Amino acid sequence: TQLLEQSPQFLSIQEGENLTVYCNSSSVFSSLQWYRQEPGEGPVLLVTVVTGGEVKKLKRLTFQFGDARKDSSLHITAAQPGDTGLYLCAGPVLSGGSYIPTFGRGTSLIVHP
Amino acid sequence: KAGVTQTPRYLIKTRGQQVTLSCSPISGHRSVSWYQQTPGQGLQFLFEYFSETQRNKGNFPGRFSGRQFSNSRSEMNVSTLELGDSALYLCASSFYRDRVIDTQYFGPGTRLTVL
């Protein structure tokens, strides 16, 4: 069972469309992070959200952390081909006295020109 | 500042062999973590090293091991390779030890194919 469930798994859209991807859990997280991974590269951190209800904007990307800190969403406005990639959410899980980052399986986004 | 580097980028091995992957963290970073990424399981935590000590280990068999040197460079080793070990192995470095709010910088990964 995946601790962080991401949906949808795949998304194929045209340039200019809006989209939202989700990251859900039955557990409470002290923080959640969103990464984007492009083909042939490692993930790159986009944002960290730490407060329930928090909304952060990064240009055309809007990230929200749920009030109960169990879920998060990423909304992209007017998607561009450069937004293509695998979007991963991650959260810290306490194990053996320290935190292990746990990742969702990701949403693979393709934006067609 | 140079990013995280991993060598080699691609590797092909056969079942039963062993392999060693290398990771050089960002200068000044003392924490190095390793991950396995596969289409089926996603990105899974292997282990983390901080100041040459393994601080945490994920749920992987003992065939997966690692170490960190005094200059923070890290290696991971997989012995007795199995077909299921084919994956992208990612290394990430960070400055802080506290991972509650931590920024990890990932390398480009080593693509391992086991035949």
Side-chain angles (χ1 to χ4, degrees):
Chain A
T1 304
Q2 200 75 5
L3 198 57
L4 287 168
E5 297 284 349
Q6 291 190 244
S7 61
Q9 192 175 354
F10 300 100
L11 202 48
S12 179
I13 62 172
Q14 293 295 127
E15 182 175 3
E17 292 185 24
N18 301 331
L19 66 118
T20 302
V21 298
Y22 301 92
C23 174
N24 295 297
S25 177
S26 56
S27 302
V28 175
F29 282 86
S30 56
S31 64
L32 281 179
Q33 295 180 320
W34 284 92
Y35 291 81
R36 179 171 65 215
Q37 183 178 19
E38 298 182 16
E41 300 296 329
V44 175
L45 179 66
L46 296 173
V47 77
T48 300
V49 287
V50 299
T51 305
E54 180 177 6
V55 176
K56 280 191 174 180
K57 290 196 172 186
L58 186 67
K59 297 183 181 178
R60 295 177 293 100
L61 279 60
T62 302
F63 303 86
Q64 186 162 9
F65 200 12
D67 290 341
R69 293 185 288 132
K70 291 183 178 181
D71 55 84
S72 181
S73 64
L74 158 59
H75 181 81
I76 301 179
T77 303
Q80 298 176 0
D83 296 326
T84 293
L86 179 67
Y87 288 82
L88 296 158
C89 67
V93 174
L94 189 61
S95 174
S98 60
Y99 290 94
I100 293 176
T102 298
F103 285 79
R105 291 187 182 166
T107 293
S108 180
L109 170 66
I110 298 175
V111 183
H112 300 277
Chain B
K1 194 184 254 189
V4 177
T5 58
Q6 291 188 245
T7 56
R9 290 293 308 274
Y10 302 91
L11 206 49
I12 300 176
K13 292 285 187 177
T14 57
R15 278 181 299 173
Q17 287 186 311
Q18 74 165 18
V19 66
T20 299
L21 312 181
S22 180
C23 171
S24 293
I26 291 173
S27 178
H29 286 192
R30 293 164 66 189
S31 173
V32 174
S33 298
W34 287 90
Y35 297 84
Q36 181 195 66
Q37 187 174 32
T38 60
Q41 298 299 317
L43 223 162
Q44 293 187 292
F45 174 80
L46 279 158
F47 30 66
E48 181 201 357
Y49 286 86
F50 185 87
S51 294
E52 302 179 63
T53 301
Q54 186 181 89
R55 197 162 76 104
N56 230 320
K57 193 178 191 310
N59 190 25
F60 279 82
R63 299 185 297 107
F64 292 83
S65 62
R67 60 177 174 169
Q68 187 179 31
F69 302 95
S70 58
N71 62 358
S72 293
R73 191 177 70 84
S74 177
E75 290 181 346
M76 69 161 280
N77 184 276
V78 188
S79 62
T80 320
L81 284 165
E82 301 177 359
L83 295 178
D85 296 333
S86 293
L88 181 67
Y89 289 88
L90 291 160
C91 164
S93 75
S94 62
F95 182 78
Y96 295 104
R97 191 176 180 184
D98 181 358
R99 203 174 284 294
V100 175
I101 303 176
D102 198 1
T103 298
Q104 290 189 93
Y105 297 85
F106 284 83
T110 294
R111 172 74 62 186
L112 172 65
T113 302
V114 182
L115 302 175

